[in-house]
Amino acid sequence: MKNLKKKTFTLALFFAILLSFSQNNKFGTLSFNKAVNISGKQRMLTQKMGKIYLYLLNNPSDFKAKKDLKITKIIFEKQNLILGKNTSSSLTKNRLKDVENTWVKYKKFLESTPNKEDAVKIINTNSTILKYANNVVNTIILESKGNGSLDSDVAEEDAELKGIINKSGRQRMLSQRLGLYYFANKPGLKNTNTENKLRAVFKEIDDALNELLVSSFNNERIDEALGDIMERWENVKTNKDRFFKQGFKDIEVYKLSNSLTKSFNRITNLYEKVKIN
């Protein structure tokens, strides 16, 4: 009888620990994988808004782009609030505050009728708000590690998975940043810095695609989605010289950046759902 009671108590304690872990290994009401994904989207949105503004500078009659900018601003603000409500980390809250403070200035530029003066300010500010948004992603990943795991091997694999979610999510941002700096290299805006950044973004996308292709977390659906992106990206690489010389139409680059972002978003969502055994 004593042995039975002891076994029962041990089992109860074990399940209590498991329950505690499952409750603690959450970012408020979100999973940490979801939080990494959402915060990663915030990086992308900072660049998407800048891209749309610079595109509208030479394409002021594109009402669909104007609507897209308006919707993107709303989503960015809402998601920032969601992240703030779900974190229990003072560090993450402080990083979100950095984003909010910079957003006040960035939003002011974005809401002006597209003009060269504010376009230059957006080019000069977009990397700052991107840096702060990226800091949020990193602190959320750090916060997830603080929740620990019952198994060190599981913890290591889980950290690797969050890393690949972050890597894939970063490509959404780079897809928009590619468009932003394509338009930032138009006559009247172009300088050595904008040209170097465009080339750096191009290279980072290319390098990251190779890394994602060999990820151990890939499944059939992820491989298929990556294959689709590779096909489109190879077409851009084949015409790389024309791309850097502003040989593409504005609408082509605008749609290309959105298309790549959509595909990388799908892949990131698939990585988010990968289960650690």
Side-chain angles (χ1 to χ4, degrees), residues 123 183-192 194-195 244 246:
I123 293 169
F183 299 130
N185 277 282
K186 290 285 186 179
L189 297 175
K190 180 179 179 179
N191 57 45
T192 303
T194 58
E195 188 174 9
F244 288 133
Q246 305 289 299

Side-chain angles (χ1 to χ4, degrees), residues 25-47:
N25 194 29
K26 298 276 285 183
F27 185 83
T29 61
L30 309 173
S31 69
F32 272 106
N33 285 357
K34 172 68 74 175
V36 172
N37 191 355
I38 290 175
S39 59
K41 283 183 181 178
Q42 293 295 84
R43 292 181 303 202
M44 178 272 289
L45 294 176
T46 66
Q47 302 305 288

Side-chain angles (χ1 to χ4, degrees), residues 76 80 83 131 136 140 163 174 223 225-226 230 238 248 265:
F76 181 80
N80 225 43
L83 293 171
K131 179 183 74 174
V136 173
I140 289 174
L174 290 171
D223 283 336
L226 283 169
M230 287 296 295
T238 302
F248 283 63
N265 189 56

Side-chain angles (χ1 to χ4, degrees), residues 102-121:
T102 311
W103 171 240
V104 173
K105 303 172 187 176
Y106 197 54
K107 183 181 180 182
K108 184 178 179 181
F109 304 145
L110 291 167
E111 290 183 338
S112 70
T113 301
N115 63 87
K116 182 181 174 181
E117 184 180 348
D118 283 332
V120 171
K121 290 176 182 176

Side-chain angles (χ1 to χ4, degrees), residues 29 73 127 138 211 214 231:
T29 61
K73 285 188 289 187
S127 292
N138 291 335
E211 291 180 42
V214 297
E231 185 177 358

Side-chain angles (χ1 to χ4, degrees), residues 24-248:
N24 289 334
N25 194 29
K26 298 276 285 183
F27 185 83
T29 61
L30 309 173
S31 69
F32 272 106
N33 285 357
K34 172 68 74 175
V36 172
N37 191 355
I38 290 175
S39 59
K41 283 183 181 178
Q42 293 295 84
R43 292 181 303 202
M44 178 272 289
L45 294 176
T46 66
Q47 302 305 288
K48 183 177 182 179
M49 290 182 283
K51 179 204 77 173
I52 297 173
Y53 186 96
L54 296 185
Y55 167 78
L56 287 171
L57 192 61
N58 292 314
N59 301 274
S61 299
D62 193 329
F63 295 103
K64 188 177 184 302
K66 290 179 180 179
K67 183 179 179 181
D68 198 13
L69 178 57
K70 183 178 180 180
I71 292 171
T72 304
K73 285 188 289 187
I74 294 171
I75 293 173
F76 181 80
E77 290 180 331
K78 293 293 184 184
Q79 289 190 161
N80 225 43
L81 287 173
I82 289 170
L83 293 171
K85 288 179 179 178
N86 279 278
T87 184
S88 58
S89 165
S90 58
L91 180 59
T92 304
K93 288 181 184 293
N94 288 336
R95 294 294 177 263
L96 285 166
K97 192 66 178 175
D98 290 337
V99 173
E100 291 168 8
N101 291 339
T102 311
W103 171 240
V104 173
K105 303 172 187 176
Y106 197 54
K107 183 181 180 182
K108 184 178 179 181
F109 304 145
L110 291 167
E111 290 183 338
S112 70
T113 301
N115 63 87
K116 182 181 174 181
E117 184 180 348
D118 283 332
V120 171
K121 290 176 182 176
I122 285 170
I123 293 169
N124 293 336
T125 311
N126 83 85
S127 292
T128 302
I129 193 168
L130 171 61
K131 179 183 74 174
Y132 289 141
N134 190 61
N135 287 344
V136 173
V137 182
N138 291 335
T139 55
I140 289 174
I141 292 174
L142 184 64
E143 195 176 334
S144 72
K145 292 178 180 178
N147 281 268
S149 172
L150 295 177
D151 187 302
S152 59
D153 291 335
V154 172
E156 183 178 351
E157 191 174 3
D158 186 59
E160 288 177 9
L161 176 57
K162 287 179 177 58
I164 206 68
I165 293 170
N166 185 17
K167 172 73 71 175
S168 177
R170 183 172 173 81
Q171 304 323 298
R172 296 175 298 197
M173 176 276 290
L174 290 171
S175 299
Q176 293 296 326
R177 192 166 171 82
L178 185 75
L180 189 158
Y181 277 100
Y182 183 88
F183 299 130
N185 277 282
K186 290 285 186 179
L189 297 175
K190 180 179 179 179
N191 57 45
T192 303
N193 185 51
T194 58
E195 188 174 9
N196 288 340
K197 285 190 175 180
L198 179 61
R199 291 182 179 277
V201 171
F202 194 99
K203 184 179 186 305
E204 188 174 351
I205 292 175
D206 196 44
D207 291 345
L209 269 171
N210 293 328
E211 291 180 42
L212 292 175
L213 280 171
V214 297
S215 170
S216 58
F217 295 105
N218 290 359
N219 52 39
E220 187 176 345
R221 294 176 69 191
I222 292 173
D223 283 336
E224 183 180 347
L226 283 169
D228 289 341
I229 289 181
M230 287 296 295
E231 185 177 358
R232 272 173 286 157
W233 185 246
E234 283 301 317
N235 183 54
V236 179
K237 284 181 66 178
T238 302
N239 295 282
K240 182 170 65 173
D241 290 340
R242 183 161 69 92
F243 183 84
F244 288 133
K245 291 177 181 178
Q246 305 289 299
F248 283 63

